[in-house]
Amino acid sequence: VLLEHEQVAVEVDDVAPQLLNLGIQRRALGGRRGRLLGLRLGGRLRWTFDVPDELLVRRFPLMLLQPLVENAVTHGIEPKVSGGELRIAARLDEGRLRLAVADTGVGLREGGSGTGFGLENVRQRLRALFGEAASLDVRENSGGGVVATLEIPA
């Protein structure tokens, strides 16, 4: 698997657990993919990445953050005429790493519970990597939109 950003190209061993620090994952999200999302949404997308410096070097599994970001943009912000904000935040709390992807988009559809294909893949990946020690919680964001929170052992 090759993760690319303008000046970052990292080859990830397919056999070992796929871990890459949050700083590199942030740069990758803000790189080519971020520019494409910005073009597609025409300035209707605002990003905030609120991760303390000490967590930017923490290794984090691939294919957990990126699907949550894409889900928030595709199902939350893109359908909202005025667009919205995407906030990615991480914290260490009581031996657990909490990573939240929050959007101010349209929110969960009526009867929706955050159980779609992409989120189910994230849940399966969490179970495969951490068993019952990890979780994904998806709920309405108090400021509008949705917040998806991952918790894994620190």
Side-chain angles (χ1 to χ4, degrees):
V1 175
L2 182 65
L3 180 64
E4 291 186 60
H5 177 263
E6 292 167 345
Q7 292 136 354
V8 178
V10 179
E11 191 72 33
V12 179
D13 183 354
D14 287 328
V15 178
Q18 296 178 356
L19 301 170
L20 198 59
N21 77 44
L22 282 170
I24 291 173
Q25 290 190 47
R26 176 186 69 179
R27 287 193 305 272
L29 283 170
R32 188 177 315 160
R33 176 171 277 125
R35 285 192 302 277
L36 288 173
L37 288 173
L39 287 172
R40 191 170 87 200
L41 295 172
R44 297 185 305 126
L45 172 63
R46 295 171 301 284
W47 292 76
T48 303
F49 202 86
D50 180 17
V51 177
D53 289 342
E54 64 271 14
L55 293 182
L56 288 175
V57 296
R58 181 169 289 268
R59 293 170 59 86
F60 189 78
L62 290 171
M63 297 310 296
L64 292 177
L65 176 58
Q66 179 259 340
L68 296 179
V69 167
E70 286 189 8
N71 216 45
V73 171
T74 301
H75 300 293
I77 295 172
E78 194 168 27
K80 189 173 178 181
V81 173
S82 62
E85 181 177 348
L86 179 66
R87 182 174 186 268
I88 301 166
R91 298 286 178 264
L92 281 179
D93 187 26
E94 298 179 13
R96 303 197 43 86
L97 173 62
R98 285 196 179 108
L99 189 135
V101 176
D103 69 73
T104 58
V106 297
L108 292 172
R109 286 182 286 228
E110 190 170 324
S113 59
T115 58
F117 180 74
L119 294 175
E120 184 54 32
N121 283 340
V122 169
R123 285 184 178 96
Q124 288 178 12
R125 183 146 170 77
L126 284 171
R127 277 192 297 277
L129 293 170
F130 302 103
E132 296 298 315
S135 65
L136 172 63
D137 178 62
V138 179
R139 63 182 60 207
E140 292 283 344
N141 190 356
S142 61
V146 174
V147 60
T149 305
L150 287 170
E151 283 193 30
I152 62 172

